[in-house]
Amino acid sequence: MSAAAPYDLTICRDADELAHKAAALIAQVASESIRRRGRFTLALAGGSTPKATYALLADPSKQFVVDWSRTFVFFGDERHVPADDERSNYHMAREALLAKVPLPVEQVFPVDTRFDTAAECAAEYDQTLAAFFATPPHAFPALDLILLGLGDDGHTASLFPGAAALSEVDKVVTWSPPGVLPPPVDRVTLTFPALNAAEQVAFLVAGSGKAPAVRDVLGGDANVQDRPAAGVRPKSGRLTWLVDSAAASLLEGQ
Ligand code: 6PG
């Protein structure tokens, strides 16, 4: 068991308010990162929850301003499927956001899933990140913001309960066989040390199916093998949970 990492928790009325707060957070971190470092490095989450947030960022009438000319986009994880496959996280992000904003294509770094195995895709993405961030050997890049989702089983990115990937402490990127939740395809994922090197990590969690995992992880009752999201403990960065009321429904005193 491990006490929950220190975190900021915002409980949102519903998934729509969560999407608005997430878009506002991304815009705020982007502005701060560009002001301080001249660029904004962002890792997108996959799955379905972030789609509404991405759509708000893509909608100029919503006024969530991001200087895309200074923004560099990566992926916290990816399915080992073609980039145009409906199951691809890159495909989802491209449809919802990346194709709709003035973000130069050379500033988007999808996982190259054309290799025969997820292991090869992971090794290539590891090199991609090392080259971009000029990370010394055995060091981890500090992305400005990593977005994460939470599976009903407590997985995050593609770090699944009981998976060997949970024990990877030397690489930035690794691979995993599928977890129990669909889609049943091999995955490529950032590792815990990579997630925990970020300046800020933000979980976006909606729906009652997530409530037991949210309770366990935020209540400090979870071990990482059973609820991998409990392993997200930024070394020096901020940890933010944006949770809708349904997903927060089992929290004490919610
Ligand atoms: C993926 C995601 C995964 C996702 C959670 C929550 O590739 O599916 O990286 O970690 O964030 O499974 O998914 P939903 O947002 O669809 O509930």
Side-chain angles (χ1 to χ4, degrees):
M1 302 299 175
S2 59
Y7 58 84
D8 301 314
L9 171 65
T10 298
I11 298 176
C12 306
R13 183 178 57 253
D14 53 26
D16 183 61
E17 184 181 44
L18 187 155
H20 280 77
K21 288 197 180 291
L25 173 69
I26 294 163
Q28 182 257 323
V29 176
S31 172
E32 183 66 13
S33 304
I34 291 168
R35 185 177 67 79
R36 289 173 58 187
R37 287 182 287 274
R39 73 181 188 187
F40 173 44
T41 53
L42 169 66
L44 297 179
S48 57
T49 302
K51 284 182 188 174
T53 298
Y54 299 164
L56 288 172
L57 291 172
D59 181 346
S61 71
K62 296 295 183 193
Q63 299 307 314
F64 295 109
V65 176
V66 174
D67 180 352
W68 297 107
S69 72
R70 302 282 191 94
T71 297
F72 299 82
V73 171
F74 305 85
F75 290 81
D77 72 325
E78 186 54 278
R79 292 86 179 270
H80 188 212
V81 297
D84 60 356
D85 188 299
E86 286 293 325
R87 297 167 296 176
S88 162
N89 288 333
Y90 166 71
H91 177 79
M92 179 275 282
R94 190 177 181 285
E95 295 292 297
L97 174 61
L98 304 178
K100 299 178 175 176
V101 293
L103 176 60
V105 64
E106 63 271 16
Q107 292 177 206
V108 180
F109 298 84
V111 177
D112 184 348
T113 56
R114 292 171 298 179
F115 294 93
D116 289 341
T117 67
E120 291 168 294
C121 298
E124 174 72 11
Y125 205 52
D126 194 288
Q127 289 304 309
T128 298
L129 294 179
F132 179 87
F133 289 96
T135 323
H138 313 302
F140 296 90
L143 278 83
D144 293 312
L145 179 60
I146 297 179
L147 303 178
L148 291 174
L150 179 73
D152 292 5
D153 60 357
H155 83 260
T156 192
S158 286
L159 297 165
F160 298 114
L166 303 184
S167 307
E168 178 53 64
V169 293
D170 296 318
K171 295 176 184 167
V172 176
V173 186
T174 192
W175 78 280
S176 179
V180 297
L181 298 174
V185 295
D186 287 351
R187 308 293 187 93
V188 174
T189 185
L190 293 185
T191 59
F192 279 131
L195 299 177
N196 291 331
E199 296 289 339
Q200 184 160 357
V201 179
F203 278 94
L204 280 53
V205 186
S208 57
K210 314 291 174 83
V214 169
R215 174 203 56 209
D216 294 348
V217 173
L218 295 190
D221 299 336
N223 74 52
V224 174
Q225 288 297 321
D226 298 331
R227 299 290 203 196
V232 178
R233 314 169 66 84
K235 288 174 75 72
S236 58
R238 291 186 64 178
L239 178 57
T240 300
W241 284 78
L242 297 176
V243 182
D244 78 348
S245 55
S249 58
L250 296 179
L251 289 178
E252 293 292 321
Q254 181 249 359

